[in-house]
Amino acid sequence: MRKLKIAAASAILVATSMFGVAHAADATAPATGPHAAMHHMRGEHGPWGLGDIRKLHDQLKLDAQQEQAWQQAVNTSKQNHDAMRKNGEQFGQMIAQAKDQQVLDLAGMRAAREKVFDQNRQLRSQTEDAWLNVYNGLNNDQKILVSNAIKARWAKMKAWHDKAMQHRGQMHKGAPATPAPASQAQ
């Protein structure tokens, strides 16, 4: 009986994690899965999480060759972001169809999820390569400007993380050490 419960719990965990991936592929959510490893290149957030990259564009005062590389990187970003969104939509459709199946094909769902992850990983790599091409074409002063923007973003993310951890710690300090007995819960 215990093995059956473990197997059922494992199947539920796999299915819900796959549904979470389908939800994460939604247009309003991050493009794909393991967020920690992929956070640096999320669609509209610009390369390396810079935020609205257009603000930095104006400050860089690019020459014609740099501008051409910039526009290529912008186009690559948009095309790859759209491709990742389409991959996520297709995976979401597969999940929606699976809801109607009496017995889920978890191995097939996992293979489909891994395929989407791999495709999106390649697209992110292409996007990052395009932005590295832009960065490598900058002069030292422009690279300093980009580096400072990235470092400022890191500081902002760290401040957000520290605040979230502080809030989380306060929440746990106020929580009761043990749950109330069932007779008192009513």
Side-chain angles (χ1 to χ4, degrees):
M1 184 70 170
R2 179 171 162 77
K3 287 183 180 180
L4 182 61
K5 286 181 181 179
I6 291 172
S10 297
I12 290 169
L13 179 64
V14 170
T16 56
S17 69
M18 289 180 184
F19 180 73
V21 170
H23 175 71
D26 186 283
T28 60
T32 68
H35 303 295
M38 301 175 198
H39 190 271
H40 68 287
M41 287 299 303
R42 287 189 6 190
E44 69 279 358
H45 297 287
W48 297 278
L50 278 174
D52 188 358
I53 193 74
R54 292 171 294 199
K55 292 178 185 176
L56 193 58
H57 175 267
D58 295 341
Q59 296 173 14
L60 289 172
K61 298 179 175 66
L62 302 173
D63 64 28
Q65 187 177 2
Q66 293 170 330
E67 181 65 31
Q68 184 178 3
W70 180 279
Q71 292 306 320
Q72 173 133 11
V74 168
N75 291 336
T76 299
S77 294
K78 287 178 183 178
Q79 290 170 358
N80 290 349
H81 185 261
D82 290 344
M84 286 189 284
R85 178 176 286 145
K86 184 177 177 183
N87 289 343
E89 288 170 358
Q90 289 173 347
F91 185 76
Q93 290 170 358
M94 185 200 70
I95 294 293
Q97 291 170 355
K99 290 178 186 176
D100 297 332
Q101 297 174 355
Q102 187 172 4
V103 176
L104 295 174
D105 176 14
L106 296 180
M109 292 170 71
R110 178 180 182 215
R113 182 193 67 202
E114 292 300 318
K115 181 180 175 185
V116 168
F117 281 2
D118 290 342
Q119 289 171 343
N120 288 351
R121 196 173 296 120
Q122 289 174 353
L123 292 168
R124 278 187 305 280
S125 181
Q126 290 172 3
T127 301
E128 192 168 30
D129 288 345
W131 284 107
L132 285 172
N133 186 43
V134 170
Y135 184 77
N136 291 335
L138 298 177
N139 64 39
N140 199 44
D141 290 338
Q142 291 169 319
K143 286 182 180 180
I144 290 171
L145 184 64
V146 172
S147 296
N148 288 340
I150 291 171
K151 290 175 189 178
R153 179 67 179 164
W154 289 346
K156 184 177 179 182
M157 290 179 348
K158 180 167 180 5
W160 178 88
H161 180 264
D162 291 347
K163 183 178 177 181
M165 293 306 291
Q166 181 182 12
H167 177 72
R168 184 176 181 186
Q170 289 173 351
M171 286 179 45
H172 289 292
K173 287 179 186 175
T178 57
S183 61
Q184 293 178 354
Q186 296 174 348

